[in-house]
Amino acid sequence: MQILKTRDELQGLLAQARRDGKNIGLVPTMGNLHQGHLALVDAAIKECDFVLATIFANPLQFGPEEDFENYPKTPESDYAKLEQSGCNVVFEPSVSELYPGGLDHQTQVTVPGLSERHCGVSRPVHFGGVCTVVSKLFNLTMPDTSFFGQKDYQQLQIIRKMTADLCMPIKIVGVPTVRENNGLAMSSRNNYLDESQLLIASNIYTSLEQAKIKIEKGERDYPALEAQAIEFLTQSGLKTDYFSVCNAATLEPATQTDLHLVILTAAWLSPTRLIDNIQVKIIN
Ligand code: PAF
């Protein structure tokens, strides 16, 4: 597995792969890899014959009060995991390699509407930063397919829309969330939690499952369901940012006639903010 740090090296290697007729799969990450990331690499290996993972903690997608400075960095163990999983190349640029003109006057890509609700309310700069860096990575690597976790469901929908709106000829694949035995979604931010907090955090998935079961049993009063879930999370020691039953495509509040729903939630276990979601298909 090659580890590349510069755009020139990367583009040279990818040009050769393309000349060789290889189908290129891109797995963008911010590093500190866990089983959830490796599931993206596995999916890429199944579908593509040349797999590139990127490791880049993107400063543009963190707000001023957020954890950019402390974001966990574990390059050696990341390389070992990627190598073992069969990844062909890792691109790990510095901030100045990806943003040579600095961050202040960087052209930004934004997806209006979808980016403004849910996580976008408490993280107003986040999705603009994500779309900007993902666009840069797409332009640099021109992959056939790119892989993103369903754990970041809103991000996945935003990237799908960005790709379609900007006519980017890239297939976007959403890969199912990988969970701990107690249901907690794997996340680099779980590293901030101690044993007892990890147990408390598993109630996030419990709240989603409980809501899903109620909907499957016929409950359609979604605001009431949301209120019950927030009460459950509060009792469990979590501070809810939002808990929303939504249309799975538009992420608008679900209506009585929607058949494919996603329940999105974010909660604080101070000072750590965790997100998760669950999809519900209503069969009449
Ligand atoms: O999901 C992530 O890890 C990041 O938002 C991404 C897509 C790698 C962009 O920095």
Side-chain angles (χ1 to χ4, degrees):
M1 185 183 76
Q2 281 181 275
I3 300 165
L4 306 178
K5 304 274 184 183
T6 68
R7 302 192 293 180
D8 285 351
E9 291 170 298
L10 176 73
Q11 288 186 303
L13 193 86
L14 290 177
Q16 185 57 50
R18 252 178 244 110
R19 278 196 294 277
D20 294 343
K22 300 250 162 96
N23 180 295
I24 295 170
L26 171 69
V27 179
T29 82
M30 299 208 298
N32 191 237
L33 304 183
H34 50 66
Q35 288 302 322
H37 297 109
L38 300 181
L40 305 182
V41 176
D42 281 350
I45 286 172
K46 286 205 183 85
E47 190 163 331
C48 305
D49 33 40
F50 189 93
V51 175
L52 161 72
T54 62
I55 298 179
F56 182 69
N58 172 35
L60 213 57
Q61 69 187 72
F62 290 79
E65 307 297 318
E66 294 183 350
D67 55 347
F68 175 64
E69 294 300 337
N70 301 327
Y71 199 80
K73 290 184 183 55
T74 50
E76 294 307 324
S77 96
D78 292 350
Y79 303 154
K81 287 174 184 166
L82 289 170
E83 171 122 58
Q84 223 195 347
S85 66
C87 179
N88 298 100
V89 182
V90 180
F91 178 51
E92 191 186 26
S94 62
V95 172
S96 59
E97 184 67 22
L98 218 49
Y99 294 102
L103 298 178
D104 290 348
H105 304 291
Q106 167 67 44
T107 300
Q108 296 244 3
V109 180
T110 50
V111 173
L114 263 186
S115 300
E116 285 149 29
R117 54 182 125 258
H118 311 302
C119 285
V121 175
S122 52
R123 305 190 72 193
V125 301
H126 177 63
F127 290 118
V130 169
C131 288
T132 302
V133 81
V134 170
S135 301
K136 283 165 92 85
L137 293 172
F138 282 177
N139 286 336
L140 278 170
T141 61
M142 294 192 280
D144 296 279
T145 312
S146 189
F147 298 81
F148 296 87
Q150 287 176 1
K151 193 208 129 214
D152 297 290
Y153 190 91
Q154 187 178 8
Q155 167 176 283
L156 175 63
Q157 292 304 97
I158 288 171
I159 289 171
R160 285 191 201 285
K161 181 160 175 16
M162 174 189 84
T163 311
D165 285 358
L166 297 181
C167 312
M168 294 168 159
I170 299 167
K171 179 178 160 194
I172 304 299
V173 173
V175 178
T177 305
V178 181
R179 300 182 179 281
E180 303 288 353
N181 288 337
N182 64 14
L184 176 64
M186 289 202 185
S187 161
S188 299
R189 292 195 168 99
N190 294 349
N191 284 328
Y192 300 145
L193 307 178
D194 63 27
E195 282 301 314
S196 65
Q197 289 175 313
L198 286 168
L199 208 62
I200 296 175
S202 70
N203 286 300
I204 296 175
Y205 186 58
T206 308
S207 71
L208 291 167
E209 274 197 315
Q210 286 174 349
K212 177 178 173 154
I213 290 168
K214 286 178 192 162
I215 296 172
E216 284 172 344
K217 285 189 175 154
E219 175 65 82
R220 294 291 176 269
D221 184 346
Y222 299 135
L225 229 159
E226 291 165 358
Q228 288 160 19
I230 292 169
E231 175 61 22
F232 170 78
L233 289 169
T234 308
Q235 295 299 328
S236 310
L238 290 137
K239 185 169 175 293
T240 310
D241 182 356
Y242 62 84
F243 189 100
S244 311
V245 183
C246 306
N247 175 298
T250 62
L251 307 192
E252 299 271 2
T255 66
Q256 303 289 317
T257 53
D258 288 334
L259 296 179
H260 185 187
L261 312 182
V262 64
I263 311 173
L264 301 172
T265 189
W268 295 93
L269 194 46
S270 64
T272 304
R273 185 174 179 280
L274 301 165
I275 61 170
D276 202 354
N277 66 83
I278 200 165
Q279 292 185 54
V280 191
K281 290 200 174 128
I282 298 175
I283 300 152
N284 283 325

